[in-house]
Amino acid sequence: MGSSKRMQRLVRGLLPAVGMAAWLALATTASAQSAVRSVHAPWDSLLRAHVHDGVVNYQAFATAPAFKQYLASLDTVQVEQLSEPDRLAYWINVYNAYTVQLIVSHGERTSIRNINRSLGVLQLKGPWSERLVHAAGKTYTLDEVFHRVLRKQFREPRMHFAVVPASKGAPPLRSEAYTGERLEAQLEDQTKRLLSDSTWTWYRRGVLGVNAVMLAYEKDFAASRVELVQFVAPYVTLRQGEEQKKRLAEGKAIVVPRPYDWALNATPITKPAPGNARPLPQSR
């Protein structure tokens, strides 16, 4: 009996300490999430100012001090303290921002695939293997962010519609930053934009045309081709009747990739007036 009372007193004594520890953990997490959302505020402003309908004004990013400051701030974020939605939003923003930086630092004006080419042949380094990403205290390549972080850690197929490799064939870059609190709505909107627009995704006579990204990373979306069709089915805009919808819902379609356009998703270059020429930004 005495032992039972001592145990009860011990438990009562521990409860305040446990409660305080839980409160501190929650407060730390909330503080970290609030901080990372503030970090992305400059990126949000830059996107709203310099990206319209998915077309990027790279010249404006090249001359914006806020862009360099934003890139530097990404390296200070303590990612491990964030919620999963905030972490995913963070890494999507990292990928997109450093893709813009890659274009800017090389002064590329035609295609991202021209970067690190030699005599027309893509070198081993390539555009996605350049170690330019400084995030969460580490240095990455864009390939590492994409494959080792985004694809491996999150298992969210819709992120393929959010990351943009600076090309017209990719899903459009949003004119806003991704945030954990709005991530679900943002990813769903990107998915609808890509899969309901008949210039991107179409279905005719049993053939389903999809963005090449979906076939390149098919296993991220579905375990089988039937399931891939079923993933797309709710979004596709159809002119045909209910029978066509039924066939798609059952996963019955031949899937083909839509031709991918690697041309840069850029606004036309504006030439400065004579006497006011500025040099292109130098590589890091």
Side-chain angles (χ1 to χ4, degrees):
M1 186 71 176
S3 176
S4 176
K5 289 183 177 180
R6 284 195 298 273
M7 180 61 71
Q8 290 175 7
R9 287 196 296 270
L10 178 61
V11 170
R12 285 197 297 270
L14 286 173
L15 283 176
V18 172
M20 179 60 72
W23 181 86
L24 287 173
L26 288 172
T28 299
T29 300
S31 176
Q33 291 173 187
S34 176
V36 78
R37 289 165 188 165
S38 297
V39 165
H40 296 311
W43 177 234
D44 187 81
S45 297
L46 288 163
L47 290 169
R48 292 179 188 278
H50 306 310
V51 179
H52 301 287
D53 295 325
V55 180
V56 184
N57 185 341
Y58 288 100
Q59 290 175 290
F61 278 98
T63 58
F67 182 49
K68 294 180 182 178
Q69 294 165 7
Y70 171 68
L71 293 177
S73 72
L74 291 172
D75 204 25
T76 67
V77 176
Q78 297 180 7
V79 179
E80 67 280 357
Q81 295 183 0
L82 303 178
S83 67
E84 182 164 322
D86 274 312
R87 282 191 290 116
L88 178 52
Y90 169 82
W91 286 111
I92 291 173
N93 289 332
V94 165
Y95 185 93
N96 287 339
Y98 269 100
T99 297
V100 172
Q101 171 61 8
L102 178 69
I103 300 300
V104 165
S105 65
H106 285 272
E108 180 56 43
R109 295 294 181 265
T110 306
S111 173
I112 189 173
R113 295 205 301 176
N114 289 336
I115 295 174
N116 293 324
R117 280 182 179 267
S118 178
L119 300 175
V121 178
L122 191 64
Q123 298 175 350
L124 291 178
K125 190 175 180 181
W128 297 282
S129 298
E130 189 170 317
R131 303 196 69 78
L132 81 160
V133 180
H134 301 282
K138 297 181 180 180
T139 302
Y140 301 85
T141 66
L142 286 170
D143 254 350
E144 288 170 343
V145 172
F146 183 66
H147 293 290
R148 297 185 186 179
V149 179
L150 286 166
R151 293 185 65 215
K152 186 175 182 180
Q153 294 184 17
F154 295 99
R155 308 288 182 175
E156 170 53 81
R158 295 174 300 174
M159 72 85 187
H160 286 286
F161 304 142
V163 295
V164 183
S167 58
K168 291 181 179 179
L173 183 63
R174 291 181 76 86
S175 298
E176 64 176 3
Y178 286 89
T179 64
E181 59 188 349
R182 296 192 57 238
L183 185 63
E184 174 61 30
Q186 290 174 315
L187 290 179
E188 189 63 15
D189 183 62
Q190 284 291 101
T191 303
K192 288 179 179 178
R193 291 175 69 181
L194 192 72
L195 300 185
S196 66
D197 186 340
S198 59
T199 62
W200 289 88
T201 308
W202 48 266
Y203 180 72
R204 292 191 293 270
R205 297 180 181 178
V207 179
L208 177 66
V210 299
N211 188 282
V213 168
M214 295 194 71
L215 292 183
Y217 301 103
E218 182 173 349
K219 295 304 180 184
D220 290 358
F221 289 92
S224 67
R225 184 60 57 87
V226 168
E227 290 183 8
L228 181 69
V229 175
Q230 291 173 328
F231 178 92
V232 176
Y235 303 98
V236 179
T237 300
L238 296 172
R239 295 181 180 178
Q240 297 92 340
E242 292 299 318
E243 179 60 30
Q244 297 298 320
K245 293 180 181 179
K246 182 175 180 293
R247 289 179 62 82
L248 271 180
E250 293 172 348
K252 297 177 180 178
I254 298 171
V255 183
V256 298
R258 174 183 177 272
Y260 196 93
D261 187 353
W262 279 106
L264 199 64
N265 58 344
T267 56
I269 298 173
T270 55
K271 295 182 179 179
N276 294 322
R278 294 182 180 179
L280 291 175
Q282 299 299 309
S283 300
R284 286 174 47 170

